[in-house]
């Protein structure tokens, strides 16, 4: 039943759960490419994953319009779960979104459709949360930039089409651009807009 | 019902309400993603005055958890009154373990210094910032300085530093010395002596900056390029001291000058009290160590 | 012998204890009760509520006692408490035309619908110290009118009927009313955020700025269209209900300043507005606020910005006394690390200077 589903599955201990998830996200965005562990703290309706849901519970509220991808929008239970537990309004367009929850990254529209911030206020951009099946089973990507001592690797899957090209364009817009949180079952990794993608390890 | 009838002494963990923490946490994430950019945030009134570290306290309150070990320093020392006061605040509102040992702390909140001991990967350094805008004293208007950052228009800053050289033969900025972060944003490192600037460069720790009154948060992720502004013919240089610490004989550390009498007697001792105590415990002795109570 | 500065903890504890002692004063004098402050120092309580942005007389009275009568310290205490309160929602705009007014005066009309009503004002008292107050002598009951109060339309609405005054101003389409306690200020401000900032701004600062406009620094030819003090109803829209819920009443002071405006290429000559609204009874603050509001509309009205009172970043960035007192007073915190850096620099520069003088003298000698 939709009603029961949307009122259960929040944080058991909102203050401390949110703090621990936040520290995982903060650690991951400060050290792009590293994987921060996240305990399973939320029980959202499918297809919203527990990790992505925990991130939403931690960061979203009345002040942050949230955009859902087609796969999540397809579930009435997901929208009401987000609304009930975070109070966040749904964003009408990707450009209005402070956060975007993406259950199916492979079918995602181009990143440039989301809010990029302005040159004066680059922080007014969308943070995208991708639900990924794995952070190690995909094609290995090499990263460098702030937070990375030499080079970082990550092999997330699935990713949007032409991701490498799209990420290069995102980096070229710096300080404008979007930030990514990759949410897997057992951990999260982040790619802030400052991270550069490299063709190979060399 | 009036508030007095209720138990108004119950505050949330770490004082701030959850909505405020979320707002601050979002600002911190943006700050990390855009190193050196000042993220506006809806700073709250805190139970200590503006200027006492309300920005740093809000950042610490938004990130701290029950497993953290907190160190608070002011002027490099754990026992200065404001450091004591802020440490007590977190002990009270977050029941968190506190320490004076740099190596043991997971979060270090600071005013005016960076510890001498190199920080490590698990640590977060939280700076209290009075005026976050490095261009503020050249251009008082927020509307103008925001444009200058947007256009990466930092010529004015170089002109100011160069005027120093023309007038005084050297750059006359000794603290809050501006840096450029990752080749993009010019940033105020807070009023730390420029001696500490090199410690910010490629640090293993995460550095967060909170300015409460001015409502700005900014960040330097670990392993980020932080370059002090200078000129080819006048390269950046840090302060040097003629003598080692009078208590622990440390060299290449920042020293406080302590007046001993009214006849010009003075001694120089470590500003970082933890560093000094550790060295003394290890048996290092400065020239006045024996005479100290 | 040098004694390392230790014992910060004990020093703070003892200082707080001494503060508590001095706050209480002579124990043989009865302690102040909050109701005494609420009842007998009401205007001080009003100022703390207004600049503390929290309407609660008892808490304001507690803050005044705790602050030993230092109102800015009391305002700070109230703000720090207020900031931890959950936000349930935003009331509808209050309707000051429907105010149960205790005072209402207009300087622009001899008489007007609803009448002039002096109310509890100092205006025509002679400022002679009254020794009777020190004796606790009984005080007469006030005379009250029994007649049904007649409707009291706002002067600005009367002028608006003839198009003699500009309309109340428009915000951009789709504009959601701001909340300066929840969002960082972004300059230039819309008028809603500006008025909020002025309403919690320091009375003394706004008073001095308002005064400066009268002395020619952005003169605006003001007339007091109206000042009214009284109670207004607060109503909250609840999504589940199709009627607003009445939460109660608060006392406010409203000032509508009417200012000359010669008109521009776009607009015919018309009076312009300056607006002031504050919690409680605080006429000085409401009037100062309305003069500052008018001065700060210079950009909107296409006037030259020549004076401090017209400079939005200057006025709004410095009007908050909790911020101002904190930053000014923080100078007493230790700054010795930075001072050390400056000492070192000055010593080095003096050494350079001396060396140069010696060289100069030597060169001179050689030349001679």
């Amino acid at each position: 039943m939709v009603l029961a589903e949307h009122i259960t599955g929040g944080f058991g201990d909102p203050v401390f759960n949110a703090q621990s998830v936040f520290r995982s996200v903060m650690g991951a965005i400060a050290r792009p490419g590293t994987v921060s562990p996240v305990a399973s703290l939320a029980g959202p309706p499918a297809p919203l994953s527990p990790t992505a849901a925990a991130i939403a519970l931690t960061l979203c509220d009345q002040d942050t319009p949230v955009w859902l991808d087609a796969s999540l929008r397809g579930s009435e239970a997901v929208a009401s779960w987000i609304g009930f537990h975070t109070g966040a309004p749904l964003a009408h367009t990707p450009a209005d979104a402070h956060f975007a929850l993406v259950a199916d990254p492979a079918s995602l529209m181009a990143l440039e459709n989301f809010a990029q911030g302005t040159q004066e206020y680059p922080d007014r951009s969308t943070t995208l949360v991708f639900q990924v099946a794995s952070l190690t089973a995909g094609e290995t990507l090499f990263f460098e930039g702030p937070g990375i001592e030499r080079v970082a690797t990550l092999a997330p899957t699935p990713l949007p089409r032409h991701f490498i090209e799209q990420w290069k364009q995102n980096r070229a817009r710096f300080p404008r651009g979007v930030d990514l949180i990759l949410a897997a079952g057992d951990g999260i990794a982040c790619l802030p807009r400052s991270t550069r993608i490299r063709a190979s390890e060399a | 019902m009036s508030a007095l009838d209720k138990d108004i002494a119950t505050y949330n963990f770490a004082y701030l309400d959850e909505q405020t923490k979320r707002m601050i946490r979002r600002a911190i994430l943006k700050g990390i993603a855009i190193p050196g950019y000042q993220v506006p945030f809806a700073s709250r009134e805190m139970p200590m005055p503006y200027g006492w570290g309300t920005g740093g306290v809000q950042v610490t309150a938004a990130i701290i958890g029950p497993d953290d070990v907190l160190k608070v320093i002011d002027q490099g020392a754990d026992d200065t009154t404001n450091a004591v006061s802020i440490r007590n605040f977190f002990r009270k509102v977050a029941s968190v373990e506190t320490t004076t040992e740099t190596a043991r702390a997971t979060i270090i909140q600071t005013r005016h210094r960076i510890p001498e001991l190199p920080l490590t990967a698990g640590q977060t350094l939280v700076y209290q910032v009075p005026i976050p805008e490095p261009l503020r004293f050249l251009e008082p208007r927020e509307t103008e300085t925001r444009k200058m950052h947007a256009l990466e228009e930092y010529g004015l800053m170089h002109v100011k530093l160069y005027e120093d050289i023309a007038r005084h033969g050297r750059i006359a900025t000794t603290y809050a010395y501006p840096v450029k972060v990752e080749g993009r944003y010019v940033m105020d490192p807070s009023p730390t002596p420029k001696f500490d600037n090199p410690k910010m460069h490629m640090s293993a720790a995460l550095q967060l900056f909170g300015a409460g009154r001015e409502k700005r948060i900014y960040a330097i992720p670990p392993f980020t390029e932080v370059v002090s502004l200078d000129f080819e013919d006048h390269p950046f240089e840090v302060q040097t001291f003629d003598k080692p610490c009078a208590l622990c004989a440390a060299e290449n550390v920042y020293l406080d000058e302590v007046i001993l009498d009214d006849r010009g007697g003075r001694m120089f001792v470590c500003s970082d009290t933890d560093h000094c105590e550790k060295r003394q415990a290890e048996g290092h002795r400065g020239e006045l160590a024996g005479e100290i109570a | 012998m040098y004694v390392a500065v230790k014992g910060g903890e004990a020093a703070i504890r003892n200082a707080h204890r001494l503060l508590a002692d001095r706050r209480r004063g002579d124990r043989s004098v009865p302690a102040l009760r909050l109701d005494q402050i609420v009842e007998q120092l009401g205007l001080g309580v009003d100022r703390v509520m207004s600049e503390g942005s929290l309407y609660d007389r008892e808490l304001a009275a507690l803050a005044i006692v705790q602050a030993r009568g230092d109102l800015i310290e009391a305002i700070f205490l109230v703000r720090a408490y207020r900031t931890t309160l959950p936000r349930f929602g935003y009331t509808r705009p209050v309707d000051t035309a429907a105010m149960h007014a205790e005072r209402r005066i207009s300087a622009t009309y001899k008489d007007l619908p609803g009448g002039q009503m002096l109310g509890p004002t100092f205006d025509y008292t002679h400022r002679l110290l009254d020794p009777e107050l020190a004796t606790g002598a009984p005080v007469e009951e006030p005379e009250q009118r029994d007649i049904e109060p007649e409707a009291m339309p706002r002067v600005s609405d009367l002028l608006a009927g003839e198009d003699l005054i500009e309309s109340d101003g428009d915000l951009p389409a789709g504009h959601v009313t701001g909340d300066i306690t929840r969002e960082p200020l972004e300059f230039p401000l819309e008028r809603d955020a500006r008025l909020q900032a002025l309403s919690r701004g320091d009375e003394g600062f706004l008073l001095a700025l308002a005064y400066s406009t009268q002395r020619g620094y952005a003169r605006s030819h003001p007339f007091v269209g109206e000042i009214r003090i009284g109670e207004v109803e607060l109503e909250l829209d609840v999504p589940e209900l199709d009627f607003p819920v009445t939460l109660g009443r608060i006392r406010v002071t409203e000032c509508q300043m009417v200012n000359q405006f010669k008109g521009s290429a776009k607009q015919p000559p018309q009076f312009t507005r300056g607006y002031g609204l504050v919690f409680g009874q605080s006429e000085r603050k409401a009037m100062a606020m309305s003069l500052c509001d008018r001065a700060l509309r210079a950009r909107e009205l296409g006037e030259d910005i020549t004076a401090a009172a017209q400079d939005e970043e200057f006025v709004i960035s410095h009007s908050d006394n909790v911020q101002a007192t904190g930053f000014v007073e923080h100078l007493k915190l230790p700054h010795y690390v930075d001072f050390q850096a400056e000492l070192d620099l000055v010593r080095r520069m003096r050494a350079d200077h001396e060396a140069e003088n010696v060289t100069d003298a030597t060169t001179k000698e050689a030349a001679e």
Side-chain angles (χ1 to χ4, degrees):
Chain A
M1 196 174 101
V2 171
L3 184 69
E5 208 176 10
H6 90 242
I7 59 172
T8 60
F11 280 149
D13 188 344
V15 172
F16 294 107
N17 291 166
Q19 192 272 339
S20 77
V21 174
F22 169 71
R23 282 293 279 275
S24 286
V25 176
M26 184 174 89
I29 201 164
R31 293 173 178 79
T34 58
V35 178
S36 293
V38 185
S40 184
L41 296 167
L48 185 60
S49 80
T51 310
I55 293 166
L57 291 177
T58 301
L59 295 173
C60 301
D61 58 27
Q62 298 85 318
D63 297 331
T64 59
V66 170
W67 183 86
L68 302 177
D69 75 347
S71 150
L72 293 172
R73 261 199 316 273
S75 156
E76 206 176 297
V78 167
S80 33
W81 191 88
I82 295 280
F84 182 82
H85 288 282
T86 71
L90 290 186
H92 298 298
T93 70
D96 298 326
H98 290 203
F99 288 91
L101 302 181
V102 180
D104 179 13
S107 322
L108 187 67
M109 64 174 73
L111 295 179
E112 64 186 11
N113 291 295
F114 293 89
Q116 306 287 318
T118 63
Q119 206 64 21
E120 279 82 11
Y121 292 96
D123 54 304
R124 296 180 180 174
S125 56
T126 308
T127 300
L128 293 100
V129 181
F130 287 0
Q131 296 183 188
V132 294
S134 165
L135 291 165
T136 51
E139 179 196 349
T140 302
L141 303 174
F142 299 91
F143 299 102
E144 58 183 16
I148 302 169
E149 192 170 7
R150 277 179 289 275
V151 64
T153 60
L154 209 57
T157 185
L159 284 176
R161 288 179 297 271
H162 312 298
F163 178 74
I164 293 177
E165 193 45 45
Q166 285 205 60
W167 194 252
K168 283 181 178 164
Q169 288 170 8
N170 191 60
R171 183 63 185 75
R173 284 190 282 269
F174 191 87
R176 298 167 66 239
V178 299
D179 306 311
L180 296 187
I181 303 176
L182 307 171
D186 53 352
I188 55 173
C190 289
L191 295 178
R193 69 194 75 180
S194 60
T195 299
R196 297 181 294 272
I197 202 161
R198 281 178 22 168
S200 70
E201 195 174 359
Chain B
M1 183 170 73
S2 112
L4 292 178
D5 303 331
K6 297 179 287 194
D7 182 9
I8 61 173
T10 56
Y11 287 96
N12 192 21
F13 175 80
Y15 179 77
L16 298 172
D17 58 283
E18 289 302 300
Q19 196 183 349
T20 298
K21 285 186 198 167
R22 273 194 298 274
M23 178 272 295
I24 295 172
R25 286 168 179 168
R26 292 191 295 258
I28 290 172
L29 296 183
K30 296 284 191 192
I32 296 171
I34 317 167
Y37 166 73
Q38 304 164 49
V39 185
F41 83 110
S43 173
R44 304 290 197 246
E45 278 91 358
M46 298 301 284
M48 56 280 289
Y50 288 114
W52 263 244
T54 54
V57 169
Q58 288 180 79
V59 169
T60 299
I63 67 174
I64 202 164
D67 301 334
D68 279 308
V69 180
L70 176 70
K71 172 181 165 83
V72 184
I73 50 172
D74 187 338
Q75 314 296 299
D78 297 276
D79 54 8
T80 34
T81 40
N82 199 41
V84 169
S85 164
I86 291 173
R87 191 163 57 239
N88 286 349
F89 174 72
F90 281 109
R91 217 184 276 150
K92 183 170 172 182
V93 300
S95 320
V96 74
E97 188 188 347
T98 60
T99 184
T100 59
E101 284 178 62
T102 302
R104 278 199 63 222
T106 57
I107 299 173
I108 302 171
Q109 181 168 328
T110 180
R111 176 167 172 265
H112 293 195
R113 275 310 310 278
I114 300 175
E116 305 290 0
L117 184 72
L119 301 180
T120 56
Q123 296 182 304
T124 302
L125 184 59
V126 178
Y127 295 74
Q128 302 172 198
V129 183
I131 305 270
E133 178 50 72
L135 306 168
R136 182 62 68 232
F137 299 104
L138 310 173
E139 168 53 63
R141 268 163 223 290
E142 168 68 17
T143 34
E144 289 301 318
T145 52
R146 188 160 287 281
K147 253 183 246 156
M148 291 158 79
H149 284 295
L151 301 171
E152 223 176 326
E153 179 51 68
Y154 295 128
L156 206 55
M157 184 61 97
H158 279 100
V159 170
K160 192 261 165 197
L161 294 175
Y162 207 83
E163 276 173 3
D164 272 6
I165 295 170
R167 196 173 310 148
H168 310 294
R170 65 181 82 222
I171 293 174
T173 301
T174 59
Y175 60 91
Y177 190 103
V179 295
K180 196 163 204 181
V181 180
E182 203 61 22
R184 177 57 179 82
Y185 283 101
V186 166
M187 190 197 92
D188 179 279
S190 89
T192 50
K194 65 180 176 181
F195 180 88
D196 286 337
N197 276 20
K199 295 177 187 162
M200 307 175 88
H201 176 64
M202 298 303 271
S203 169
L206 169 63
Q207 302 172 73
L208 301 177
F209 299 78
R213 193 176 38 76
E214 299 278 341
K215 301 179 167 53
R216 297 289 184 272
I217 283 172
Y218 51 103
I220 302 176
F223 305 114
T224 297
E225 198 179 273
V226 180
V227 179
S228 302
L229 301 185
D230 64 357
F231 301 93
E232 255 173 42
D233 50 343
H234 281 90
F236 171 79
E237 51 186 25
V238 299
Q239 290 99 341
T240 53
F241 293 85
D242 300 334
K243 286 182 176 181
C245 169
L247 299 179
C248 77
E251 296 187 44
N252 302 318
V253 295
Y254 197 80
L255 302 179
D256 293 335
E257 180 172 340
V258 179
I259 310 278
L260 295 173
D261 52 45
D262 57 2
R263 299 179 305 277
R266 55 173 60 97
M267 67 191 283
F268 288 85
V269 297
C270 282
S271 131
D272 183 334
T273 48
D274 176 58
H275 187 68
C276 199
E277 283 162 18
K278 282 267 170 351
R279 283 181 54 86
Q280 292 180 63
E282 288 164 10
H284 298 280
R285 288 285 176 273
E287 59 175 14
L288 293 175
E291 302 177 32
I292 305 307
Chain C
M1 194 173 71
Y2 166 69
V3 180
V5 187
K6 284 277 178 192
E9 306 238 1
I12 289 178
R13 201 165 46 241
N14 290 337
H16 290 175
R17 210 166 139 181
L18 184 58
L19 170 66
D21 173 80
R22 293 295 191 266
R23 176 192 293 128
R24 178 58 182 85
D26 184 347
R27 307 292 200 278
S28 67
V29 175
L32 273 173
R33 295 196 321 264
L34 298 191
D35 56 352
Q36 290 176 314
I37 293 168
V38 169
E39 291 300 316
Q40 297 175 40
L41 295 176
L43 299 192
V45 168
D46 283 354
R47 178 168 177 201
V48 171
M49 294 198 304
S50 160
E51 292 171 34
S53 309
L54 180 69
Y55 196 93
D56 188 316
R57 288 180 193 285
E58 227 175 354
L59 281 179
L62 174 61
I64 289 171
V65 174
Q66 193 175 330
R68 306 179 66 192
D70 177 339
L71 292 191
I72 291 183
E73 179 68 22
I75 289 161
F76 179 20
L77 285 166
V78 166
R79 289 264 194 99
Y81 173 67
R82 171 197 197 281
T83 200
T84 65
L85 300 176
R87 188 65 45 102
F88 296 117
Y90 293 87
T91 66
R92 290 185 156 198
V94 294
D95 180 9
T96 51
M99 178 188 283
H100 299 259
E102 188 172 44
R103 169 166 167 82
R104 190 275 192 116
I105 53 160
S106 169
T108 51
Y109 293 99
K110 183 173 165 58
D111 198 5
L112 69 170
Q116 305 256 20
M117 214 164 43
L118 280 182
T121 176
F122 292 119
D123 284 353
Y124 306 102
T125 62
H126 295 141
R127 270 56 167 206
L128 304 171
L129 286 174
D130 181 359
E132 279 212 346
L133 284 176
T135 66
V139 175
E140 280 182 313
E141 289 301 312
E143 286 277 337
Q144 298 253 336
R145 272 196 299 202
D146 296 336
I147 51 164
E148 190 71 5
E150 57 177 308
M152 209 178 261
R154 284 178 297 213
V155 167
S156 53
D157 295 339
L158 301 175
L159 281 167
E162 274 186 84
D163 264 352
L164 291 174
I165 193 164
E166 59 172 343
S167 66
D168 219 351
D170 295 312
L171 288 166
H175 180 78
V176 179
T177 306
D179 179 346
I180 62 163
T181 69
R182 313 301 275 188
E183 300 142 25
L185 289 179
E186 181 192 331
F187 293 107
L189 301 172
E190 291 296 343
R191 196 162 172 224
D192 53 349
R194 208 162 63 208
L195 287 170
Q196 288 173 27
L198 290 174
S199 187
R200 58 157 37 188
D202 181 73
E203 179 175 314
F205 180 72
L206 297 185
L207 177 66
L209 282 172
Y211 178 45
S212 74
T213 69
Q214 289 181 284
R215 291 193 66 261
Y217 292 88
R219 192 163 172 222
S220 64
H221 306 274
F223 296 92
V224 169
E226 181 177 29
I227 293 168
R228 53 173 74 197
I229 303 174
E231 294 191 332
V232 290
E233 268 186 0
L234 290 183
E235 294 180 325
L236 183 73
D237 281 322
V238 180
E240 292 80 25
L241 303 174
D242 47 9
F243 54 90
V245 176
T246 302
L247 299 176
R249 285 178 176 185
I250 59 168
R251 174 179 288 266
V252 295
T253 302
E254 181 188 54
C255 174
Q256 298 231 47
M257 207 59 87
V258 176
N259 303 270
Q260 195 188 74
F261 181 56
K262 294 197 176 67
S264 65
K266 280 187 235 160
Q267 284 171 298
Q270 213 177 20
F271 290 109
T272 56
R273 298 165 185 254
Y275 188 71
L277 182 72
V278 294
F279 280 160
Q281 176 171 348
S282 185
E283 211 159 283
R284 182 187 303 122
K285 168 76 179 283
M287 292 177 74
M289 175 177 168
S290 62
L291 287 170
C292 289
D293 171 47
R294 176 60 186 79
L296 289 171
R297 295 182 60 212
R299 183 171 38 88
E300 171 197 344
L301 296 169
E303 296 167 336
D304 291 337
I305 296 180
T306 56
Q310 295 168 304
D311 184 332
E312 181 177 87
E313 278 207 50
F314 177 80
V315 173
I316 303 300
S317 301
H318 303 114
S319 62
D320 190 295
N321 53 25
V322 177
Q323 289 175 8
T325 198
F327 201 47
V328 167
E329 293 197 50
H330 107 284
L331 289 173
K332 65 195 165 190
L333 292 181
H335 282 77
Y336 55 77
V337 164
D338 292 344
F339 188 68
Q340 184 63 49
E342 295 283 271
L343 265 181
D344 177 64
L345 177 71
V346 173
R347 280 186 185 132
R348 278 171 207 270
M349 293 203 310
R350 285 182 64 91
D352 289 353
H353 186 76
E354 227 160 77
E356 266 167 41
N357 282 353
V358 171
T359 324
D360 283 356
T362 324
T363 326
K364 226 177 183 181
E365 259 171 43
E368 281 165 5

